[in-house]
């Protein structure tokens, strides 16, 4: 396993030396994956599916902040929805405006999560995300979840009922369409189950990982996985939503990735724990020091 730490440190060094080139490439690839996934799932407007348009969108994201990918992807979503239902496109646009005002004013640095969550739903592995977000992003990911999960369910509703939309501008047709979307989308019990799961798991993992106990991160991961199974899978069975096979795959992926993340970024050796005590004129200090797992032994470093 130490070879993973060696690879991690090597990649860190490469990134530190060439980050000015690597960051745009990573942002480009992330945006490209998001846009292609949206086009594959919806794909109602042929213009947006053309590769030059896709590449232009990804290039815009490559030279702008990471969160831009979420909003460029949303533009593609709105464009596709407008080909099917102006009501759904209008609702999506309104949600983006509200999300932009709420999330960008609260935590703009984590706006990329807004794209990651619908992406996980498109790939049928939403259970892959919450535990890892709790470890990596902390409690701020809760806001992104509350914003991104409903946006996905609007996409899913339109995708599932695309044959029932006429995209007519007649007032009566628009009213009927709005009522259908409101009843089908806003009254989706499974949507609220997934919002609850994301919020509970992210908060639970974020709190438990900070407890002053040995193996706090491992306990947080297991607690998060248990909450996912109880709320997500249990709620899905009760409401008739989700896919049991994909949900189980997502949970195991989440467990594996979370444990790998813990090892790479919080790898410690509790066998070497030391408890220190010292004082100054005003306080006594009690410190618990836990050594990190090193990729090299001390003797190997100087060979």
């Amino acid at each position: 396993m130490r070879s993973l730490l060696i690879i991690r440190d090597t990649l860190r060094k490469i990134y530190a030396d060439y980050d000015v080139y690597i960051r745009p490439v990573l942002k480009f690839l992330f945006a490209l994956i998001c846009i292609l996934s949206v086009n594959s799932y919806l794909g109602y407007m042929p213009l947006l599916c053309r590769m030059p348009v896709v590449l232009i969108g990804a290039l815009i994201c490559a030279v702008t902040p990471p969160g831009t990918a979420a909003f460029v992807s949303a533009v593609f979503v709105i464009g596709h929805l407008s080909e099917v239902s102006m009501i759904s496109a209008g609702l999506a646009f309104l949600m983006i405006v509200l999300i932009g005002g709420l999330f960008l004013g609260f935590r703009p640095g984590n706006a990329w999560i807004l794209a990651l969550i619908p992406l996980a739903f498109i790939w049928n592995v939403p259970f892959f995300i919450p535990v890892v977000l709790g470890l990596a992003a902390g409690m701020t990911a809760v806001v992104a979840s509350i914003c991104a999960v409903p946006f996905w369910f609007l996409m899913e509703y339109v995708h599932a009922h695309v044959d029932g939309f006429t995209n007519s501008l007649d007032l009566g047709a628009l009213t009927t369409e709005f009522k259908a979307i409101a009843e089908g989308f806003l009254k989706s019990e499974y949507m609220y189950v997934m919002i609850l799961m994301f919020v509970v798991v992210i908060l639970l993992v974020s709190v438990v990982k900070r407890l002053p106990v040995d193996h706090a991160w491992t306990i947080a991961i297991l607690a998060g996985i248990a909450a996912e199974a109880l709320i997500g899978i249990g709620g899905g069975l009760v409401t008739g939503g989700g896919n049991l096979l994909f949900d189980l795959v997502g949970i195991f992926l989440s467990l594996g990735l979370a444990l790998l993340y813990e090892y790479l970024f919080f790898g410690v050796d509790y066998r070497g724990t030391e408890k220190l005590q010292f004082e100054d004129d005003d306080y006594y200090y009690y410190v618990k020091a836990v050594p990190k797992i090193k990729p090299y032994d001390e003797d190997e470093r100087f060979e």
Side-chain angles (χ1 to χ4, degrees), residues 35-116:
I35 294 171
L36 289 176
S37 297
V38 167
N39 286 348
S40 175
Y41 186 74
L42 297 177
Y44 304 129
M45 183 179 285
L47 175 64
L48 296 180
C49 295
R50 294 179 180 175
M51 190 52 64
V53 177
V54 172
L55 292 177
I56 289 172
L59 286 171
I60 291 173
C61 298
V63 297
T64 52
T68 307
F71 295 97
V72 170
S73 300
V75 170
F76 277 75
V77 171
I78 293 171
H80 287 303
L81 295 183
S82 67
E83 285 289 297
V84 177
S85 165
M86 293 302 297
I87 292 293
S88 64
L91 286 174
F93 177 76
L94 179 60
M95 291 176 70
I96 289 299
V97 172
L98 294 175
I99 290 170
L102 173 64
F103 192 77
L104 293 183
F106 181 75
R107 193 73 174 184
N110 285 343
W112 55 272
I113 300 174
L114 295 171
L116 183 63

Side-chain angles (χ1 to χ4, degrees), residues 274-285:
E274 296 183 14
K275 295 183 179 180
L276 310 175
Q277 177 182 343
F278 54 94
E279 63 179 283
D280 60 18
D281 293 337
D282 299 311
Y283 294 95
Y284 287 99
Y285 299 90

